[in-house]
């Protein structure tokens, strides 16, 4: 009997130990199965870059228009050429020897003064400062013509006018067709017919010949005959 009690007590102790040892494991397994599996490295929170904000462009205001280099160059050259045409035209009305040349010079003053005023308004709108004095090339031309008068002046002045207006017509045609600023293109197209008329008139005066050269009177030398001496027998 004592041995049976001891055996029963041992069996009960073993059963309790087995029961208590299995319970934490099962709970641990349940906790493990319920927890979500963690794979890889933990993801670190990254701050997404804020979207870049493009700078706002302020609208173009009059006087601050950014012209292309070609349009700006055209305006400056047209202003310089127009300034020269007016001053040389004034010189022609004073020193020309032929009435056709004088009238042409006066027309240069009238027409180019009007074109120059239109160009000044355009330049103010576009923020371009125009030249107010002749450049070295036109100043030298004016000085050279100032030393001439009459037929010599007519010839030099009109030949120069043909050359200048050929360049002007070409430059204004190019700007009217290929210019980038619409206002500058419109100015060139508007002034072009007047320049073409100037070129045609200058060529007509040069081709006429009488306005650029004064014919020198030709004198026919009189031939004198020496009388043959007569001999008396």
């Amino acid at each position: 009997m004592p041995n049976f009690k001891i055996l029963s007590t041992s069996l009960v102790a073993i059963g309790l130990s087995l029961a208590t040892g299995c319970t934490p494991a099962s709970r641990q397994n349940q906790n493990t199965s319920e927890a979500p599996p963690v794979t890889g490295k933990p993801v670190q929170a990254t701050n997404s870059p804020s979207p870049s904000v493009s700078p706002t462009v302020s609208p173009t205001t009059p006087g601050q228009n950014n012209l292309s280099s070609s349009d700006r160059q055209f305006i400056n050259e047209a202003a310089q050429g127009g300034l020269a045409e007016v001053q040389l035209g004034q010189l022609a009305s004073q020193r020309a020897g032929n009435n056709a040349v004088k009238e042409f010079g006066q027309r240069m003053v009238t027409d180019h003064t009007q074109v120059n005023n239109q160009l000044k308004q355009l330049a103010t709108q576009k923020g371009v400062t125009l030249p107010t004095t002749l450049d070295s090339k036109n100043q030298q031309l004016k000085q050279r013509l100032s030393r001439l008068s009459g037929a010599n002046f007519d010839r030099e002045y009109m030949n120069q006018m043909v050359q200048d207006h050929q360049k002007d017509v070409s430059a204004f045609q190019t700007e009217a067709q290929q210019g980038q600023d619409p206002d500058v293109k419109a100015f060139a197209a508007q002034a072009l017919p007047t320049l073409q008329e100037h070129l045609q008139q200058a060529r007509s005066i040069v081709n006429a010949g009488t306005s650029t050269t004064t014919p020198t009177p030709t004198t026919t030398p009189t031939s004198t005959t020496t009388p043959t001496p007569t001999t008396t027998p």
Side-chain angles (χ1 to χ4, degrees), residues 91-118:
L91 198 62
S93 63
Q94 299 171 0
R95 307 188 68 83
N98 187 275
N99 289 332
V101 179
K102 287 185 177 182
E103 292 176 358
F104 181 84
Q106 292 172 355
R107 182 179 182 182
M108 293 301 99
V109 174
T110 302
D111 290 354
H112 281 280
T113 297
Q114 181 178 358
V115 174
N116 291 348
N117 290 336
Q118 295 173 355

PDB file of all heavy atoms in Angstrom, residues 91-118:
ATOM      1  N   LEU A  91      22.251 118.815 -96.426  1.00  0.00           N
ATOM      2  CA  LEU A  91      23.465 119.271 -97.110  1.00  0.00           C
ATOM      3  C   LEU A  91      23.223 119.375 -98.616  1.00  0.00           C
ATOM      4  O   LEU A  91      23.708 120.319 -99.262  1.00  0.00           O
ATOM      5  CB  LEU A  91      24.609 118.298 -96.812  1.00  0.00           C
ATOM      6  CG  LEU A  91      26.033 118.791 -97.055  1.00  0.00           C
ATOM      7  CD1 LEU A  91      26.362 119.985 -96.168  1.00  0.00           C
ATOM      8  CD2 LEU A  91      27.024 117.657 -96.790  1.00  0.00           C
ATOM      9  N   ALA A  92      22.460 118.437 -99.171  1.00  0.00           N
ATOM     10  CA  ALA A  92      22.197 118.446-100.611  1.00  0.00           C
ATOM     11  C   ALA A  92      21.350 119.646-101.008  1.00  0.00           C
ATOM     12  O   ALA A  92      21.559 120.239-102.073  1.00  0.00           O
ATOM     13  CB  ALA A  92      21.499 117.150-101.010  1.00  0.00           C
ATOM     14  N   SER A  93      20.402 120.011-100.172  1.00  0.00           N
ATOM     15  CA  SER A  93      19.555 121.159-100.502  1.00  0.00           C
ATOM     16  C   SER A  93      20.347 122.466-100.507  1.00  0.00           C
ATOM     17  O   SER A  93      19.898 123.462-101.092  1.00  0.00           O
ATOM     18  CB  SER A  93      18.401 121.254 -99.501  1.00  0.00           C
ATOM     19  OG  SER A  93      18.903 121.482 -98.189  1.00  0.00           O
ATOM     20  N   GLN A  94      21.522 122.464 -99.885  1.00  0.00           N
ATOM     21  CA  GLN A  94      22.343 123.668 -99.820  1.00  0.00           C
ATOM     22  C   GLN A  94      23.457 123.685-100.867  1.00  0.00           C
ATOM     23  O   GLN A  94      23.772 124.742-101.414  1.00  0.00           O
ATOM     24  CB  GLN A  94      22.959 123.791 -98.425  1.00  0.00           C
ATOM     25  CG  GLN A  94      21.944 123.897 -97.301  1.00  0.00           C
ATOM     26  CD  GLN A  94      22.579 123.790 -95.934  1.00  0.00           C
ATOM     27  OE1 GLN A  94      23.801 123.624 -95.824  1.00  0.00           O
ATOM     28  NE2 GLN A  94      21.768 123.861 -94.887  1.00  0.00           N
ATOM     29  N   ARG A  95      24.059 122.524-101.153  1.00  0.00           N
ATOM     30  CA  ARG A  95      25.271 122.495-101.956  1.00  0.00           C
ATOM     31  C   ARG A  95      25.103 121.851-103.321  1.00  0.00           C
ATOM     32  O   ARG A  95      26.039 121.869-104.127  1.00  0.00           O
ATOM     33  CB  ARG A  95      26.387 121.768-101.196  1.00  0.00           C
ATOM     34  CG  ARG A  95      26.637 122.316 -99.801  1.00  0.00           C
ATOM     35  CD  ARG A  95      27.865 121.698 -99.176  1.00  0.00           C
ATOM     36  NE  ARG A  95      29.077 122.109 -99.852  1.00  0.00           N
ATOM     37  CZ  ARG A  95      29.739 123.256 -99.611  1.00  0.00           C
ATOM     38  NH1 ARG A  95      29.272 124.100 -98.683  1.00  0.00           N
ATOM     39  NH2 ARG A  95      30.840 123.559-100.267  1.00  0.00           N
ATOM     40  N   ALA A  96      23.954 121.282-103.614  1.00  0.00           N
ATOM     41  CA  ALA A  96      23.760 120.629-104.907  1.00  0.00           C
ATOM     42  C   ALA A  96      23.723 121.674-106.019  1.00  0.00           C
ATOM     43  O   ALA A  96      23.272 122.803-105.824  1.00  0.00           O
ATOM     44  CB  ALA A  96      22.475 119.808-104.901  1.00  0.00           C
ATOM     45  N   GLY A  97      24.187 121.261-107.198  1.00  0.00           N
ATOM     46  CA  GLY A  97      24.179 122.173-108.335  1.00  0.00           C
ATOM     47  C   GLY A  97      22.982 121.970-109.238  1.00  0.00           C
ATOM     48  O   GLY A  97      22.644 122.852-110.027  1.00  0.00           O
ATOM     49  N   ASN A  98      22.327 120.844-109.162  1.00  0.00           N
ATOM     50  CA  ASN A  98      21.196 120.538-110.025  1.00  0.00           C
ATOM     51  C   ASN A  98      19.913 120.543-109.210  1.00  0.00           C
ATOM     52  O   ASN A  98      19.889 120.085-108.071  1.00  0.00           O
ATOM     53  CB  ASN A  98      21.405 119.170-110.684  1.00  0.00           C
ATOM     54  CG  ASN A  98      20.339 118.865-111.722  1.00  0.00           C
ATOM     55  OD1 ASN A  98      19.274 118.381-111.380  1.00  0.00           O
ATOM     56  ND2 ASN A  98      20.649 119.135-112.985  1.00  0.00           N
ATOM     57  N   ASN A  99      18.865 121.063-109.804  1.00  0.00           N
ATOM     58  CA  ASN A  99      17.594 121.158-109.085  1.00  0.00           C
ATOM     59  C   ASN A  99      17.039 119.785-108.714  1.00  0.00           C
ATOM     60  O   ASN A  99      16.412 119.627-107.663  1.00  0.00           O
ATOM     61  CB  ASN A  99      16.577 121.927-109.926  1.00  0.00           C
ATOM     62  CG  ASN A  99      16.902 123.406-110.009  1.00  0.00           C
ATOM     63  OD1 ASN A  99      17.529 123.963-109.088  1.00  0.00           O
ATOM     64  ND2 ASN A  99      16.507 124.057-111.097  1.00  0.00           N
ATOM     65  N   ALA A 100      17.243 118.780-109.570  1.00  0.00           N
ATOM     66  CA  ALA A 100      16.738 117.438-109.275  1.00  0.00           C
ATOM     67  C   ALA A 100      17.408 116.863-108.023  1.00  0.00           C
ATOM     68  O   ALA A 100      16.769 116.195-107.212  1.00  0.00           O
ATOM     69  CB  ALA A 100      16.966 116.518-110.474  1.00  0.00           C
ATOM     70  N   VAL A 101      18.698 117.149-107.878  1.00  0.00           N
ATOM     71  CA  VAL A 101      19.430 116.672-106.706  1.00  0.00           C
ATOM     72  C   VAL A 101      18.962 117.411-105.457  1.00  0.00           C
ATOM     73  O   VAL A 101      18.794 116.821-104.382  1.00  0.00           O
ATOM     74  CB  VAL A 101      20.944 116.839-106.908  1.00  0.00           C
ATOM     75  CG1 VAL A 101      21.707 116.366-105.678  1.00  0.00           C
ATOM     76  CG2 VAL A 101      21.395 116.067-108.144  1.00  0.00           C
ATOM     77  N   LYS A 102      18.728 118.729-105.582  1.00  0.00           N
ATOM     78  CA  LYS A 102      18.233 119.500-104.447  1.00  0.00           C
ATOM     79  C   LYS A 102      16.862 118.987-103.997  1.00  0.00           C
ATOM     80  O   LYS A 102      16.608 118.831-102.790  1.00  0.00           O
ATOM     81  CB  LYS A 102      18.144 120.983-104.818  1.00  0.00           C
ATOM     82  CG  LYS A 102      19.490 121.687-104.932  1.00  0.00           C
ATOM     83  CD  LYS A 102      19.295 123.169-105.182  1.00  0.00           C
ATOM     84  CE  LYS A 102      20.632 123.886-105.222  1.00  0.00           C
ATOM     85  NZ  LYS A 102      20.488 125.350-105.428  1.00  0.00           N
ATOM     86  N   GLU A 103      15.982 118.723-104.955  1.00  0.00           N
ATOM     87  CA  GLU A 103      14.650 118.223-104.615  1.00  0.00           C
ATOM     88  C   GLU A 103      14.723 116.843-103.970  1.00  0.00           C
ATOM     89  O   GLU A 103      13.969 116.536-103.035  1.00  0.00           O
ATOM     90  CB  GLU A 103      13.792 118.182-105.873  1.00  0.00           C
ATOM     91  CG  GLU A 103      13.456 119.557-106.434  1.00  0.00           C
ATOM     92  CD  GLU A 103      12.686 119.491-107.744  1.00  0.00           C
ATOM     93  OE1 GLU A 103      12.454 118.339-108.219  1.00  0.00           O
ATOM     94  OE2 GLU A 103      12.326 120.544-108.289  1.00  0.00           O
ATOM     95  N   PHE A 104      15.647 116.030-104.456  1.00  0.00           N
ATOM     96  CA  PHE A 104      15.811 114.710-103.855  1.00  0.00           C
ATOM     97  C   PHE A 104      16.288 114.838-102.408  1.00  0.00           C
ATOM     98  O   PHE A 104      15.804 114.129-101.516  1.00  0.00           O
ATOM     99  CB  PHE A 104      16.821 113.895-104.666  1.00  0.00           C
ATOM    100  CG  PHE A 104      17.044 112.506-104.122  1.00  0.00           C
ATOM    101  CD1 PHE A 104      16.194 111.465-104.456  1.00  0.00           C
ATOM    102  CD2 PHE A 104      18.114 112.238-103.278  1.00  0.00           C
ATOM    103  CE1 PHE A 104      16.390 110.192-103.955  1.00  0.00           C
ATOM    104  CE2 PHE A 104      18.323 110.973-102.774  1.00  0.00           C
ATOM    105  CZ  PHE A 104      17.454 109.942-103.112  1.00  0.00           C
ATOM    106  N   GLY A 105      17.231 115.759-102.180  1.00  0.00           N
ATOM    107  CA  GLY A 105      17.715 115.971-100.819  1.00  0.00           C
ATOM    108  C   GLY A 105      16.612 116.446 -99.886  1.00  0.00           C
ATOM    109  O   GLY A 105      16.514 116.003 -98.734  1.00  0.00           O
ATOM    110  N   GLN A 106      15.752 117.349-100.370  1.00  0.00           N
ATOM    111  CA  GLN A 106      14.646 117.824 -99.556  1.00  0.00           C
ATOM    112  C   GLN A 106      13.648 116.705 -99.249  1.00  0.00           C
ATOM    113  O   GLN A 106      13.084 116.634 -98.154  1.00  0.00           O
ATOM    114  CB  GLN A 106      13.945 118.984-100.275  1.00  0.00           C
ATOM    115  CG  GLN A 106      14.796 120.249-100.383  1.00  0.00           C
ATOM    116  CD  GLN A 106      14.163 121.314-101.266  1.00  0.00           C
ATOM    117  OE1 GLN A 106      13.118 121.095-101.886  1.00  0.00           O
ATOM    118  NE2 GLN A 106      14.795 122.479-101.342  1.00  0.00           N
ATOM    119  N   ARG A 107      13.457 115.817-100.220  1.00  0.00           N
ATOM    120  CA  ARG A 107      12.557 114.689 -99.970  1.00  0.00           C
ATOM    121  C   ARG A 107      13.150 113.751 -98.912  1.00  0.00           C
ATOM    122  O   ARG A 107      12.422 113.177 -98.097  1.00  0.00           O
ATOM    123  CB  ARG A 107      12.301 113.905-101.258  1.00  0.00           C
ATOM    124  CG  ARG A 107      11.342 112.754-101.037  1.00  0.00           C
ATOM    125  CD  ARG A 107      11.037 111.959-102.274  1.00  0.00           C
ATOM    126  NE  ARG A 107      10.076 110.899-101.969  1.00  0.00           N
ATOM    127  CZ  ARG A 107       9.639 109.995-102.838  1.00  0.00           C
ATOM    128  NH1 ARG A 107      10.067 110.033-104.101  1.00  0.00           N
ATOM    129  NH2 ARG A 107       8.780 109.065-102.457  1.00  0.00           N
ATOM    130  N   MET A 108      14.470 113.584 -98.922  1.00  0.00           N
ATOM    131  CA  MET A 108      15.111 112.752 -97.906  1.00  0.00           C
ATOM    132  C   MET A 108      14.862 113.312 -96.502  1.00  0.00           C
ATOM    133  O   MET A 108      14.599 112.564 -95.555  1.00  0.00           O
ATOM    134  CB  MET A 108      16.624 112.669 -98.157  1.00  0.00           C
ATOM    135  CG  MET A 108      17.031 111.932 -99.430  1.00  0.00           C
ATOM    136  SD  MET A 108      16.455 110.224 -99.513  1.00  0.00           S
ATOM    137  CE  MET A 108      15.004 110.422-100.561  1.00  0.00           C
ATOM    138  N   VAL A 109      14.925 114.632 -96.395  1.00  0.00           N
ATOM    139  CA  VAL A 109      14.686 115.260 -95.094  1.00  0.00           C
ATOM    140  C   VAL A 109      13.248 115.010 -94.638  1.00  0.00           C
ATOM    141  O   VAL A 109      12.990 114.611 -93.498  1.00  0.00           O
ATOM    142  CB  VAL A 109      14.988 116.765 -95.156  1.00  0.00           C
ATOM    143  CG1 VAL A 109      14.609 117.443 -93.837  1.00  0.00           C
ATOM    144  CG2 VAL A 109      16.463 117.003 -95.466  1.00  0.00           C
ATOM    145  N   THR A 110      12.299 115.214 -95.542  1.00  0.00           N
ATOM    146  CA  THR A 110      10.885 115.073 -95.182  1.00  0.00           C
ATOM    147  C   THR A 110      10.517 113.623 -94.867  1.00  0.00           C
ATOM    148  O   THR A 110       9.945 113.330 -93.805  1.00  0.00           O
ATOM    149  CB  THR A 110      10.000 115.586 -96.328  1.00  0.00           C
ATOM    150  OG1 THR A 110      10.323 116.965 -96.593  1.00  0.00           O
ATOM    151  CG2 THR A 110       8.531 115.477 -95.963  1.00  0.00           C
ATOM    152  N   ASP A 111      10.852 112.718 -95.784  1.00  0.00           N
ATOM    153  CA  ASP A 111      10.427 111.320 -95.629  1.00  0.00           C
ATOM    154  C   ASP A 111      11.124 110.638 -94.457  1.00  0.00           C
ATOM    155  O   ASP A 111      10.490 109.928 -93.662  1.00  0.00           O
ATOM    156  CB  ASP A 111      10.695 110.544 -96.919  1.00  0.00           C
ATOM    157  CG  ASP A 111       9.763 110.975 -98.048  1.00  0.00           C
ATOM    158  OD1 ASP A 111       8.842 111.776 -97.796  1.00  0.00           O
ATOM    159  OD2 ASP A 111       9.965 110.510 -99.192  1.00  0.00           O
ATOM    160  N   HIS A 112      12.434 110.835 -94.334  1.00  0.00           N
ATOM    161  CA  HIS A 112      13.167 110.134 -93.284  1.00  0.00           C
ATOM    162  C   HIS A 112      12.907 110.738 -91.903  1.00  0.00           C
ATOM    163  O   HIS A 112      13.041 110.047 -90.900  1.00  0.00           O
ATOM    164  CB  HIS A 112      14.670 110.119 -93.602  1.00  0.00           C
ATOM    165  CG  HIS A 112      15.036 109.078 -94.605  1.00  0.00           C
ATOM    166  ND1 HIS A 112      15.201 107.748 -94.281  1.00  0.00           N
ATOM    167  CD2 HIS A 112      15.253 109.168 -95.946  1.00  0.00           C
ATOM    168  CE1 HIS A 112      15.529 107.057 -95.362  1.00  0.00           C
ATOM    169  NE2 HIS A 112      15.556 107.896 -96.386  1.00  0.00           N
ATOM    170  N   THR A 113      12.540 112.011 -91.858  1.00  0.00           N
ATOM    171  CA  THR A 113      12.124 112.571 -90.570  1.00  0.00           C
ATOM    172  C   THR A 113      10.859 111.882 -90.091  1.00  0.00           C
ATOM    173  O   THR A 113      10.728 111.547 -88.897  1.00  0.00           O
ATOM    174  CB  THR A 113      11.898 114.081 -90.697  1.00  0.00           C
ATOM    175  OG1 THR A 113      13.128 114.728 -91.040  1.00  0.00           O
ATOM    176  CG2 THR A 113      11.392 114.662 -89.377  1.00  0.00           C
ATOM    177  N   GLN A 114       9.925 111.637 -91.001  1.00  0.00           N
ATOM    178  CA  GLN A 114       8.689 110.948 -90.639  1.00  0.00           C
ATOM    179  C   GLN A 114       8.968 109.504 -90.214  1.00  0.00           C
ATOM    180  O   GLN A 114       8.431 109.025 -89.207  1.00  0.00           O
ATOM    181  CB  GLN A 114       7.724 110.968 -91.825  1.00  0.00           C
ATOM    182  CG  GLN A 114       6.387 110.288 -91.539  1.00  0.00           C
ATOM    183  CD  GLN A 114       5.444 110.384 -92.730  1.00  0.00           C
ATOM    184  OE1 GLN A 114       5.768 110.982 -93.761  1.00  0.00           O
ATOM    185  NE2 GLN A 114       4.268 109.792 -92.600  1.00  0.00           N
ATOM    186  N   VAL A 115       9.824 108.812 -90.966  1.00  0.00           N
ATOM    187  CA  VAL A 115      10.163 107.425 -90.616  1.00  0.00           C
ATOM    188  C   VAL A 115      10.904 107.379 -89.281  1.00  0.00           C
ATOM    189  O   VAL A 115      10.670 106.488 -88.446  1.00  0.00           O
ATOM    190  CB  VAL A 115      10.999 106.772 -91.733  1.00  0.00           C
ATOM    191  CG1 VAL A 115      11.486 105.386 -91.305  1.00  0.00           C
ATOM    192  CG2 VAL A 115      10.182 106.660 -93.014  1.00  0.00           C
ATOM    193  N   ASN A 116      11.793 108.337 -89.075  1.00  0.00           N
ATOM    194  CA  ASN A 116      12.547 108.367 -87.818  1.00  0.00           C
ATOM    195  C   ASN A 116      11.626 108.570 -86.612  1.00  0.00           C
ATOM    196  O   ASN A 116      11.849 107.983 -85.543  1.00  0.00           O
ATOM    197  CB  ASN A 116      13.596 109.478 -87.858  1.00  0.00           C
ATOM    198  CG  ASN A 116      14.716 109.178 -88.847  1.00  0.00           C
ATOM    199  OD1 ASN A 116      14.830 108.054 -89.344  1.00  0.00           O
ATOM    200  ND2 ASN A 116      15.533 110.175 -89.137  1.00  0.00           N
ATOM    201  N   ASN A 117      10.601 109.399 -86.770  1.00  0.00           N
ATOM    202  CA  ASN A 117       9.661 109.620 -85.668  1.00  0.00           C
ATOM    203  C   ASN A 117       8.888 108.339 -85.348  1.00  0.00           C
ATOM    204  O   ASN A 117       8.642 108.025 -84.168  1.00  0.00           O
ATOM    205  CB  ASN A 117       8.699 110.751 -86.023  1.00  0.00           C
ATOM    206  CG  ASN A 117       9.381 112.110 -86.048  1.00  0.00           C
ATOM    207  OD1 ASN A 117      10.409 112.318 -85.400  1.00  0.00           O
ATOM    208  ND2 ASN A 117       8.825 113.051 -86.797  1.00  0.00           N
ATOM    209  N   GLN A 118       8.497 107.613 -86.371  1.00  0.00           N
ATOM    210  CA  GLN A 118       7.821 106.337 -86.145  1.00  0.00           C
ATOM    211  C   GLN A 118       8.753 105.346 -85.449  1.00  0.00           C
ATOM    212  O   GLN A 118       8.326 104.594 -84.562  1.00  0.00           O
ATOM    213  CB  GLN A 118       7.340 105.763 -87.477  1.00  0.00           C
ATOM    214  CG  GLN A 118       6.279 106.604 -88.162  1.00  0.00           C
ATOM    215  CD  GLN A 118       5.940 106.097 -89.553  1.00  0.00           C
ATOM    216  OE1 GLN A 118       6.560 105.168 -90.064  1.00  0.00           O
ATOM    217  NE2 GLN A 118       4.937 106.710 -90.172  1.00  0.00           N
TER     218      GLN A 118
END
